[in-house]
Every structure is written in structure tokens, then in C-alpha cells.
Amino acid sequence: MKHFITLADLPDFHQTLDLAMELKNQPTKWDAMGKGKTLGLLFFNPSLRTRLSTQKAAQNLGLPTMVMNFSQESWALEFEDGTKMSGLRSEHVKEAAAVVSQYCDMVAIRAFASLSDKEKDEAEIVLRSFAKYASVPIINMESATAHPLQALADAITIKEFQPAHKPKVVLSWAPHPKALPHAVGNSFTKMMKHMDADFIIAHPEGYALNPKITEGITCTTDQEKAMEGADFVYTKNWCSYEQYGQILRTDDEWMITPEKMQRTNDGKFMHCLPIRRNIVAADGVLDSPNALVIQQSQNRIFSAQSVLKQLLENG
Ligand code: CP
């Protein structure tokens, strides 16, 4: 694995999952592995879980970290080639990525979608530019179109709470007042293609995810029917993909409620967090013992640790 930008970069998804479970049992077993190395964490957007869980994962491997809120603390970066840099952007990614590579042995980056330019977002300009100009591995801590560390943590959580039978897993869109990216929904969908489960995506009209990503997956606009007999209900908002970046509705009809959860097979509720209570899901859902959101957050440590360990082993 040269970089970890999407789940497809993993040499083996199931071996990574097994490694993450092993690390959860013995978090500090390889606590000398990172000695003499440094992990850089660059944030172009805010974070709670990703920042702290990745630092904790590095700490478990004896790997020191350096963190920078790039959008507030560093020079504004230029990503276009051949530009006359007469505007507000003071440093080109060519130099920035090469310089960061002098201080860090791996660089993890968070850079969300603009949601204004689909083509640019899908080109993953920030992550791909760093991967191009850095001389060290790049790790995705949520990019414009993918959040693979979250998806890996979600896979660990599903495995931990898996029933004896093949589970039914529903990814349900839910409302939100702000336009949110597709990264979590995309990576969850890609991750579920590796799992032995009946997987269905429920979303209102106009909210289909990228059809290239949902190819081969059952999608429906009937949320309540989708939730019938579900073992896991994973909820997430995303803006319209077709009418890129647009919010088409903000009503409560798709909010996850205790009444809707009653249709499930004593189903577990999942969400990557942060979550807006009584908008995305009702208090009664989040405060129920069937909510796994805190367990998902804990598993972010071991998804990150399994990726960092494999990159460290690559040298
Ligand atoms: N789930 C997740 O990535 O959380 P943060 O945005 O707080 O890092």
C-alpha cells in the first residue's frame, strides 16, 4: 500500500478488519513500531473524532504526531499548475507537499468537498496533489468523495454486533439543514460490497448517490419498507448528487424515530457523528441501547491503527 486514499488501496480488506480487531484486543502490542518516525495530520476542515482517534492510534504504535489546522494556520495553497500566483494563495502545493515530507514520514489529510464543482471534487484535487508531490504516504481522513477510515470503523462495529444470521443493513438518508458531502455514504456503500449482508440504500427522490458507486446495490425511495426487519440502520445526510450541492428538502419525514426503528429486527442504529438531534434522528433513537454511535467512534482508533501499522510495515 503506497497511499491510503480509498478502501481500494488496502492490500486486503478482510485481513485489515482482522488486524483492527486484533489491535482492539491488544492496542499497545506494537508500541515501539513508530519509534523515530512522525505522522503529520493536516486539517483543511474541522474534526473531533478523526483528529483524536488518529492521534490515539499513532500513540498506540509509539508514533509521534504533528497536527496543523491548515486552513487557519498555514499559507493558503494554490493547486492549479502554471498559475501566476498574484492572488491570495501564497504557496503552491508542489512546495508545501515536498516540505511537509521533510518533517513527516506519513501525512494524513482532511479536505472536504466544495459541493460547488462536481468535477473538481471528484478529481480529489487536495489529496491527489499531495499524493503527487509528497515523497511519503498520504492517508485520507475524509476527502471530497471518501471517508475510508470511517467505513472501516463501521465494518468493525457491524462485525462486533453481527447477528447469527446474514444481517440486513440499511443505509438511510436523513434530513439536515446544511448541504453535506457524499463521502460517508460513498465509503459506507463501497465497504458494504465486502460484507456478507443484504444491503439496501433508502433515499428520497433526487438524492441518489453517484450511480457508479451504487452499481449493483438495491436502492429505494420507501424508507419504512427498507427498514422492515433490518439488523442495522446506518443513517446519514448527503446533498443531491444530481443537482450537485443542492438541498431539495428539509422536512422531518425521513428523520429516524423510535417508531420507525420498531419496524426493524431489534435493529442497531449507526451514524458516523456529529449528529443533529431531532433533525437526523430523534432523542429516543440516540439514547436507546441499540444506538452504536459511541462504539463506532471508539473503533475509529483501530481502523486508523490498522492502516498506520500496515504503512509503517511498508517502511
Ligand atoms: N465521523 C467523523 O469523521 O467525525 P469528525 O468529523 O468529528 O472527525
Side-chain angles (χ1 to χ4, degrees), residues 46-51 110 112 141-142 147 150 272-274 300:
S47 168
L48 189 165
R49 282 142 290 272
T50 303
R51 176 169 173 168
R110 165 164 283 201
F112 289 171
M141 294 196 297
E142 188 171 345
H147 197 356
Q150 181 66 53
C272 61
L273 302 184
R300 289 294 306 274

Side-chain angles (χ1 to χ4, degrees), residues 247-261:
I247 299 174
L248 309 181
R249 58 188 291 178
T250 52
D251 60 273
D252 285 347
E253 201 185 312
W254 278 68
M255 179 169 75
I256 305 296
T257 61
E259 294 73 34
K260 287 181 186 172
M261 288 302 290

